[in-house]
């Protein structure tokens, strides 16, 4: 599972413990990809399984999963 993390006001960063807990809950092949800017979000959204944070509608519709 690929989790696209986009920092925002509610979750501006993740601690190492939070990352570990998210990955443990998501399963053995899970990974978190940080995408702070829209260019990175556009590049990563295509094969993303879950977005943790917010992306614009223009980016969201590019997701295939």
């Amino acid at each position: 599972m690929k989790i696209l993390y986009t920092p925002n006001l509610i979750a501006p960063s993740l601690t190492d413990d939070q990352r570990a807990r998210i990955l443990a809950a998501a399963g053995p092949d899970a990974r978190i990809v940080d995408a702070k800017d829209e260019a990175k979000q556009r590049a990563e959204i295509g094969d993303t399984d879950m977005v943790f944070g917010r992306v614009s509608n223009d980016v969201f519709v590019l997701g295939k999963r």
Side-chain angles (χ1 to χ4, degrees):
M1 170 182 282
K2 179 179 174 183
I3 302 167
L4 185 65
Y5 169 60
T6 61
N8 58 42
L9 290 175
I10 296 170
S13 64
L14 296 174
T15 65
D16 290 341
D17 181 59
Q18 289 169 326
R19 286 178 182 275
R21 291 172 59 199
I22 291 167
L23 292 172
D29 293 328
R31 61 190 175 109
I32 298 173
V33 176
D34 294 83
K36 294 179 182 178
D37 61 61
E38 189 169 320
K40 176 78 171 179
Q41 293 167 8
R42 286 180 176 277
E44 297 291 344
I45 193 84
D47 63 345
T48 291
D49 297 296
M50 184 187 126
V51 174
F52 179 41
R54 301 179 106 181
V55 295
S56 69
N57 287 337
D58 293 341
V59 172
F60 185 77
V61 298
L62 298 174
K64 307 286 188 233
R65 297 183 178 180

